C-alpha cells in the first residue's frame, strides 16, 4: 500500500494536493525524509517531530486491531455515478483512478474486528480515495458497520479521515450525513457505545455528521476537525485565525473532544475503552477483594493521557 | 466492472439528458432572489397565530434561525427555519441566513420541545450554508449540525420540511430531516454552493454556472434522486412575484403532507423515517475479478 | 394588600431592605411618588419610567387571570420550623411576622385559574413573604400546582419572585430545588406545557430550579435573574459587572429567555400562549378556508413583542 | 396556630438539643481539610480502571467537575464529581472545586450517556458552590444547574450519590439527586456556606461558627431530616488521615447502596426517585381561624 498522490477532492481550503510540492514521505513540519518501510514501521509518525502522516485505511486497520481479526463487509459496493457527473474529468474516471491507486472500492472499509480481545464493528476511512469524501457508498458502508454492531451487540468504532461530502454526488452525498447520523442513533437505541476517532483531516460533512457523535470522541494529535476549512473561514470572514484553528488540541480545549491520543497509543487506548464498556458478564465471576492498584512502568502514558488510574 | 441495476442505469441516462445550462442558472438566481419570501413571510401567511421563541440557553440567540410555536390549521405546531433579511440592515442582522451554533442549538431546543409536547414540526430551509466564522467553529458548528440532524431523527412527532430558497449544505440539512421533504420549484438544494463547487472542481469560482449545471441542485433532480418527496409549485415567474400565492401553494403542500404523516402510526414513525433516509444513495456492485470501471 | 417593609431574607447581595431609605411607593429609578391606589391601578408600574415595582401574589393573580377564576389549593400548608432555627430572632417569629404582614401562609399561592378563557394550573410567588424564599411549604405547593396541571391536563404557569432558597430550613430548602424540578418533569411527562414567568427578582435556588425550566421563559422588564446576586459576584471575583448584569434584557440577549413582556401586556401574552398550546379539539370544527390575517390596531404590541403575526 | 404531627414535634425537639458549637465547627473544618480525599482520589481507589471524559461540546472543559467511565466491581459505570486541587497550582486550575456552566454541561452529557447505555451513575459531591463569576452567570449557571438536576431526575439507571466534602448549595445539588444519597461523617451539606449564612442573617460573616451551629450542615442532621439515606463512616480523626481506609469505607457504602438500587425494578425507578424527593420537606397545617403562630 504505497502512498500515492492523487488529484483528490478536498474541502475548498485544503492545499491543492496533500503533499503539494514535496515528496509524500517528507515531513511537512520538520522536513525529515523517510523511506517507505521506515515510515510504515513508525506508524507513519515522524520520529523527529511527532507529525502524524495520513494513514491508508488498511494500514490503520493493521495498526489498530488484533492481527487477523478484521473481517471485511460490504466489500463489493461501488459507486454508480448517478448524476453522470463531469467536471474537468468524468467522475467515473476519478473513481477508477482512485480505485487503481488505493486498491479500495471507495473511501471506507467496514467490518468486524477485535481490539485487545474485545469485539467491535469497525468503519475506517481512507483519505487517499478522493480525499476520503463521503458519497453513497461510504454512507451505506457506515450503515452496514452500524448494522453489524447492533446485530452482534458490540460497540461501533469509526476512524474518520475525510475532507467532507463528495461533491460529485451532490444532494445524495449530503443525504449521507442524515443517513449516517441515523445509523449512530440506531447504535444508541441498541444501548451500544460508539467510539469516534478523528484523524487528519475530519472536516465538512463528516465531522458534521457521524464523526461528531461519538460517545467518546478521540482525536489524533494535530488533526484538523473544523466544519469549514481554515481557508474558507479566512476568505469568507476576513478574520485572523488562531494558529491551532480547528486542530485536535484546540478542539479538546474547547470541549469538543474527550481525548487526544498519539497514534502509538491509540490501540491501547481503544482497547482500554472497549474493556471499560464491556458487559460485566464477560468478566471472571470471582469478585476481586479490593480494586487492583494501577501498575507503574511502560503503561504510565495511560495515566498521563487519561488522568486516570493507569493501564 | 461495476454492476448497476436497471434503475440506476435509467437514472444515469436521465441525468445525461442535461437540458439547458441557463435554465438551471435561472433557478439558482430565483432561489436567491432578494424579493423571495422568507421563513417569517410564510409564517405570517400560513399560521393563524405564532410566537417566536428565543435563545439557546447557553449564551446567545441567533436571528439567522427562527423557531416558534404556531397554530397551523387548528393544531399547535413547532416551526423553525432559516431567516434572511430583506434590506441591508436586516440582512446583516440575520447574517444572510447563515446560522451559528446558537441557532442550531435553538433549533434542537425547539425540536425537543415539540417532541416532548407531541407537537408536529414544520421546518423551512433557506440558507447559503452554516456560518463559517472562527467563533462559530470554536462553538462547535459541526457538532451542533450533527446533533440537530439527530434530534430530528429521534423525534416521534411528524416532521415536514420545505426547502423554500437555498438549501445549502450541512447548514440546510441540519433542519431538513423529515418524514416528508418538500421543495419549491425555484428552490435549490446542494452539498456545496455552485461557486464553491466551481472553485474546487474547476479551480475557478467564476464557473459557478457550469458547476450548477453539472451537479444540478434543482428540485427535479432531487426528486429523481429520491431526496425529496414532492415539488411545490410557485406562481408564474417565481415565488418572489406573489408572496400570497406562493404561500397558498406551499400551504396546500405542507398541509397535505402533514395530514399524511399524521395518519401514519406514530409508534413506528422514527423507524420509517430512518428507513426513508437509509434508502438514499445509489451504488452498484463490483463484478468479481474485473478491472474497476463504470461503463 | 398594602406593601410593607419586612426584614426579609434575600440573596446575600440584595440591598438590606427592598425599599431601603425610601418609601415603598417611591420609584427607585426616577423617584416619582405614588399613592397606593394610583400604583395599584397602574399595575405597580411607574408611569414615568416604566419601572416595575414588586407585586404581591394576590395582586399578581388579580391582574393575570380571568376575574374570579382562581381557585386556591393547599392554602392551609404552614411552615413547621423543623430545625427549630434561631438566628438573631427565631424563625417562627419571622414566619408569624410575615404572615401577619402579607396575609399569606407562605411565599407562594397555588391553584387553578383561567387566562383568556384557557384553563391552567398556577403557582405565584410573593417576595414580601420572607423575600419570596423557597422552603418546604413553597416546594410542596409548587408540586401541588404541578399535580393539578397533570390531573386536569392543563398547562402549568408559574410566576417567580424570590431571592432563592430559605436559609432557615437549610438542606430541606435546598431539596425543594430537586423536588420542584421533578415536578416540572412530571408535567413534561404528561406532555403539558410549562410557562415560567420571572419577575424581579428570580434568583438563587429558584432560578436554578423550576423557574429556569419553562418551555417558554418569560421575564418582566428589568427582572434580576442571576443565580448568584451581583454583590456576591462582585465581592467573590472582583470582576466589573455589566450594568445590566443578570437583568431580563441581558438574559434575553444571552439566550436564556424567550420573551421580555411588560406587565401591562403579560395577561394578553400569556393568554395567547395558552391559546397556541390549546389542543385542537377545543377549536371550532369547520376548517377555515385560509389563515385569518392578523388584525391591526391596539394589539399591535403583540406583533412588536413577538415578532409575530399579531393578536 | 399551626398543627404539627407528632413526628415533626419529635424532629423539632431533637434539633433543640443542639450539642456543642465546637463539634459542628470541627466537622466543617474537616470537610474543608486540604488533605481530604477528593473525587479523583476515590476514583483511583474505588475503580479497577477509569477514563475521564472531557468537554461540554459547546466551548469548554471544566477541570472543577470531572466525569468519566469506570469499572466498578466488574460493572461499567459513569462517574462524576467536583474536583478540588491540593496544591496552589492545582487548586487554581480546579477553581477550588467551583464548577462553571461548562462543568455542569459535561455532567449532563455524562448523565445522558449513562442513561443511553444503561450504565449506573455514581456522583461525588465536594464543592463550596457553583462559581459565581460574570462569565458563569452569562453562560447560564442557573439553567444548567436546573437541567443537571433534571437529567438525574429523568435517568432510568441507578444513581448513587456521595457527599464527600463540602456539599455547597445548588452547585452541589446539581449532581446530588439520586436513588441513594450517602454522606461521609465529616462532610457537610447546606443551602449556603456558614459564612454566607452568617453574613445575611447575622450581618457578619465572622459569625460563621454560630451560623453553622444554627443550621447544622452535618450528616446527622441531614439524616434526621430525611435528606440523605446513610452516613458513611470515616477513619478515626477524619478521611484526610487515611485516604485508603476512607476509600474502603466509602466503597463498602456505595457498593451496598448500588446493589440495593440495582435490585429494584428499573421500570419504576424514576417514579420511586421522584417520590423520595417529593417526601422531603416538613410542614404543618393551619388551624382554621387562629392567629398565625407555631408553638
Ligand atoms: Zn517531522
Ligand atoms: Zn419611575
Amino acid at each position: 500500500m504505497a502512498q500515492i498522490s492523487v488529484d483528490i477532492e478536498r474541502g475548498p481550503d485544503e492545499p491543492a494536493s496533500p503533499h503539494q510540492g514535496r515528496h509524500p514521505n517528507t515531513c511537512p513540519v520538520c522536513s525529515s525524509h523517510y523511506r517507505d518501510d521506515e515510515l510504515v514501521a513508525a506508524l507513519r509518525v515522524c520520529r523527529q517531530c511527532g507529525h502524524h502522516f495520513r494513514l491508508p485505511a488498511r494500514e490503520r486497520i493493521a495498526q489498530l486491531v488484533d492481527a487477523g481479526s478484521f473481517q471485511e463487509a460490504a466489500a463489493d459496493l461501488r459507486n454508480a455515478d448517478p448524476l453522470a457527473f463531469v467536471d474537468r474529468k468524468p467522475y467515473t474516471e476519478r473513481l477508477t483512478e482512485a480505485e487503481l491507486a488505493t486498491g479500495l472500492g471507495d473511501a471506507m472499509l467496514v467490518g468486524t474486528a477485535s481490539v485487545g480481545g474485545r469485539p467491535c464493528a469497525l468503519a475506517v476511512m481512507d483519505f487517499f480515495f478522493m480525499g476520503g469524501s463521503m458519497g453513497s457508498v461510504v454512507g451505506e458502508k457506515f450503515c452496514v458497520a452500524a448494522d453489524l454492531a447492533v446485530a452482534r451487540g458490540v460497540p461501533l468504532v469509526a476512524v474518520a479521515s475525510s475532507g467532507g461530502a463528495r461533491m460529485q454526488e451532490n444532494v445524495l452525498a449530503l443525504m449521507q450525513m442524515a443517513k449516517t447520523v441515523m445509523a449512530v442513533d440506531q447504535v444508541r437505541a441498541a444501548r451500544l457505545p460508539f467510539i469516534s476517532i478523528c484523524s487528519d483531516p475530519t472536516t465538512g460533512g463528516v465531522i458534521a455528521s457521524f464523526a461528531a457523535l461519538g460517545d467518546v470522541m478521540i482525536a489524533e494529535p494535530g488533526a484538523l476537525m473544523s466544519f469549514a476549512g481554515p481557508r474558507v473561514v479566512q476568505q469568507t470572514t476576513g478574520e485572523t485565525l488562531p494558529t491551532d484553528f480547528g486542530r485536535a488540541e484546540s478542539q479538546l480545549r474547547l470541549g469538543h473532544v474527550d481525548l487526544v491520543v498519539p497514534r502509538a497509543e491509540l490501540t491501547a487506548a481503544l482497547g482500554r475503552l472497549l474493556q471499560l464498556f464491556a458487559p460485566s458478564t464477560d468478566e471472571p465471576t470471582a469478585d476481586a477483594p479490593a480494586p487492583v492498584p494501577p501498575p507503574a512502568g511502560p503503561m504510565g502514558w495511560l495515566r498521563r493521557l487519561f488522568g486516570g488510574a493507569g493501564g | 466492472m461495476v454492476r448497476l441495476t436497471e434503475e440506476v442505469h435509467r437514472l444515469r441516462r436521465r441525468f445525461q439528458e442535461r437540458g439547458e445550462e441557463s435554465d438551471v442558472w435561472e433557478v439558482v438566481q430565483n432561489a436567491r432572489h432578494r424579493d423571495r419570501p422568507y421563513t417569517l413571510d410564510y409564517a405570517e401567511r400560513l399560521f393563524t397565530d405564532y410566537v417566536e421563541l428565543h435563545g439557546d440557553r447557553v449564551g446567545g440567540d441567533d436571528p439567522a434561525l427562527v423557531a416558534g410555536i404556531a397554530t397551523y390549521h387548528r393544531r399547535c405546531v413547532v416551526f423553525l427555519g432559516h431567516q434572511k433579511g430583506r434590506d441591508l440592515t436586516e440582512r446583516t442582522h440575520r447574517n444572510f441566513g447563515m446560522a451559528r451554533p446558537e441557532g442550531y442549538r435553538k433549533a434542537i431546543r425547539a425540536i425537543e420541545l415539540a417532541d416532548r409536547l407531541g407537537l408536529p414540526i414544520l421546518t423551512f430551509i433557506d440558507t447559503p450554508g452554516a456560518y463559517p466564522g472562527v467563533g462559530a467553529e470554536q462553538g462547535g458548528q459541526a457538532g451542533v449540525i450533527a446533533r440537530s440532524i439527530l434530534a430530528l431523527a429521534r423525534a416521534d412527532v411528524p416532521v415536514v420540511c420545505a426547502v423554500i430558497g437555498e438549501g445549502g449544505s450541512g447548514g440546510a440539512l441540519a433542519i431538513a430531516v423529515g418524514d416528508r421533504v418538500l421543495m419549491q420549484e425555484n428552490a435549490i438544494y446542494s452539498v456545496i454552493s455552485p461557486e464553491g463547487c466551481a472553485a474546487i472542481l474547476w479551480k475557478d469560482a467564476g464557473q459557478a454556472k457550469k458547476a450548477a449545471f453539472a451537479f444540478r441542485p434543482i428540485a427535479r433532480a432531487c426528486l429523481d434522486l429520491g431526496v425529496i418527496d414532492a415539488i411545490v409549485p410557485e406562481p408564474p415567474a417565481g415565488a418572489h412575484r406573489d408572496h400570497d400565492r406562493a404561500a397558498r401553494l406551499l400551504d396546500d403542500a405542507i398541509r397535505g403532507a402533514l395530514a399524511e404523516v399524521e395518519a401514519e402510526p406514530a409508534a413506528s414513525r422514527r423507524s420509517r423515517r430512518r428507513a426513508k433516509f437509509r434508502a438514499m444513495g445509489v451504488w452498484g456492485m463490483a463484478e468479481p475479478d474485473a478491472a474497476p470501471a463504470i461503463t
Side-chain angles (χ1 to χ4, degrees), chain A, chain B:
Chain A
M1 183 62 50
Q3 286 205 357
I4 46 95
S5 178
V6 290
D7 182 11
I8 50 162
E9 305 321 324
R10 301 137 266 106
D13 25 35
E14 283 289 304
S17 150
H19 317 295
Q20 199 164 32
R22 58 168 201 274
H23 190 278
N25 287 7
T26 300
C27 175
V29 176
C30 73
S31 298
S32 300
H33 187 77
Y34 300 93
R35 291 194 316 273
D36 212 60
D37 62 324
E38 281 179 327
L39 209 48
V40 170
L43 309 175
R44 295 199 189 271
V45 176
C46 177
R47 290 192 196 278
Q48 294 302 314
C49 73
H51 170 74
H52 283 53
F53 288 80
R54 286 167 185 163
L55 203 56
R58 291 206 188 277
E59 264 184 69
R60 170 73 69 185
I61 293 169
Q63 288 182 17
L64 202 58
V65 310
D66 298 342
S69 71
F70 181 63
Q71 298 275 336
E72 193 178 348
D76 51 355
L77 295 195
R78 290 294 182 282
N79 248 287
D81 184 23
L83 276 74
F85 189 91
V86 181
D87 51 270
R88 289 168 306 149
K89 67 171 81 161
Y91 180 31
T92 51
E93 201 174 306
R94 291 184 193 269
L95 287 167
T96 306
E97 285 173 3
E99 182 161 353
L100 288 170
T102 62
L104 301 175
D106 211 304
M108 183 182 271
L109 291 177
V110 299
T112 55
S114 65
V115 180
R118 291 280 163 203
C120 64
L122 191 65
V124 176
M125 302 192 78
D126 193 305
F127 189 79
F128 299 99
F129 192 105
M130 294 188 73
S133 56
M134 177 163 72
S136 296
V137 171
V138 167
E140 179 62 18
K141 280 190 163 187
F142 184 84
C143 291
V144 168
D147 290 344
L148 285 168
V150 172
R152 303 192 181 198
V154 297
L156 174 63
V157 176
V159 185
S161 182
S162 170
R166 190 171 295 168
M167 274 171 293
Q168 290 88 347
E169 296 185 38
N170 194 14
V171 277
L172 280 185
L174 186 63
M175 292 307 121
Q176 305 313 308
M177 291 173 65
K179 186 167 159 171
T180 56
V181 167
M182 286 172 165
V184 173
D185 188 38
Q186 186 187 337
V187 173
R188 287 185 170 198
R191 300 200 144 198
L192 297 166
F194 168 41
I195 298 168
S196 175
I197 301 168
C198 299
S199 68
D200 184 61
T202 301
T203 58
V206 169
I207 189 62
S209 62
F210 71 88
L213 296 177
D215 293 310
V216 181
M217 294 287 300
I218 299 176
E220 282 200 333
L224 181 67
M225 298 175 67
S226 60
F227 179 53
R231 204 190 303 180
V232 163
V233 173
Q234 219 283 317
Q235 286 175 354
T236 310
T237 67
E239 296 176 273
T240 308
L241 270 55
T243 50
D244 63 352
F245 175 84
R247 298 286 167 186
E249 294 73 16
S250 78
Q251 296 295 80
L252 179 66
R253 204 172 56 241
L254 291 165
H256 303 305
V257 156
D258 290 295
L259 305 161
V260 176
V261 182
R263 194 170 289 165
E265 302 166 1
L266 192 57
T267 304
L270 179 58
R272 188 175 173 194
L273 283 167
L274 293 176
Q275 176 66 39
L276 278 167
F277 280 123
S280 55
T281 48
D282 294 4
E283 299 291 312
T285 44
D287 199 354
V292 181
M299 298 302 266
W301 61 265
L302 276 172
R303 174 188 294 269
R304 176 171 46 75
L305 183 64
F306 292 127
Chain B
M1 290 290 290
V2 177
R3 197 173 64 243
L4 303 180
T5 61
E6 190 43 45
E7 201 187 323
V8 176
H9 278 300
R10 258 200 307 277
L11 196 61
R12 285 174 50 81
R13 278 194 299 272
R14 189 176 311 152
F15 276 93
Q16 274 152 356
E17 299 157 10
R18 308 201 75 83
E20 294 296 323
E21 192 174 288
S22 59
D23 292 345
V24 173
W25 193 244
E26 195 187 325
V27 172
V28 173
Q29 287 173 306
N30 283 344
R32 295 168 169 177
H33 199 287
R34 75 172 58 179
D35 291 333
R36 197 169 173 83
Y38 299 143
T39 293
L40 290 179
D41 296 313
Y42 287 123
E44 298 262 344
R45 289 168 176 82
L46 266 59
F47 301 141
T48 315
D49 189 20
Y50 74 92
V51 166
E52 236 191 282
L53 299 178
H54 290 284
D56 67 350
R57 304 294 181 262
V58 164
D61 180 49
D62 190 346
L65 198 155
V66 296
I69 305 157
T71 303
Y72 183 62
H73 293 289
R74 294 182 298 109
R75 59 170 94 62
C76 183
V77 301
V78 162
F79 73 96
L80 43 133
H82 306 98
Q83 180 63 33
K84 297 177 174 178
R86 207 157 312 276
D87 61 31
L88 185 61
T89 313
E90 209 205 341
R91 281 158 71 201
T92 309
H93 173 64
R94 301 286 186 182
N95 200 28
F96 306 89
M98 294 185 287
R100 296 180 162 90
E102 41 270 46
Y104 293 108
R105 282 193 296 259
K106 177 164 63 180
I108 293 167
R109 189 166 77 80
I111 293 161
E112 290 175 349
L113 170 68
D115 199 33
R116 195 162 65 232
L117 297 179
L119 308 174
I121 298 168
L122 305 182
T123 80
F124 301 90
I125 294 96
D126 188 15
T127 181
Y131 185 63
V134 172
E137 287 286 344
Q138 292 181 331
Q141 192 72 285
V144 291
I145 290 172
R147 279 186 284 279
S148 183
I149 296 169
L150 184 64
L152 283 174
R154 294 180 63 81
D156 286 315
V157 295
V159 181
V160 174
C161 309
V163 186
I164 59 167
E166 289 181 279
S169 189
L173 181 71
I175 61 166
V177 175
D179 302 300
R180 297 291 186 281
V181 180
L182 314 175
M183 188 168 167
Q184 283 183 321
E185 246 182 314
N186 285 291
I188 58 172
Y189 201 6
S190 58
V191 72
I192 188 171
S193 68
E195 291 76 10
C197 180
I200 299 170
L201 295 187
W202 278 265
K203 315 285 178 203
D204 175 9
Q207 302 290 321
K209 246 169 138 161
K210 201 172 277 183
F213 189 58
F215 80 4
R216 303 177 79 79
I218 58 174
R220 182 72 234 169
C222 292
L223 191 68
D224 285 347
L225 291 166
V227 161
I228 62 165
D229 297 285
I231 298 173
V232 181
E234 296 184 21
H240 57 281
R241 298 295 181 87
D242 188 342
H243 288 197
D244 290 334
R245 188 153 170 211
R248 278 195 298 274
L249 291 163
L250 184 62
D251 185 26
D252 286 346
I254 291 177
R255 189 181 180 181
L258 181 56
E260 266 177 40
V261 179
E262 285 175 326
E264 295 166 2
S268 53
R269 188 168 286 131
R270 276 168 67 179
S271 58
R272 272 198 312 280
R273 195 184 298 136
R274 188 186 291 160
K276 170 182 150 85
F277 279 83
R278 175 70 183 258
M280 292 184 193
V282 173
W283 57 85
M285 293 292 192
E287 299 277 4
D289 303 317
I294 296 171
T295 50

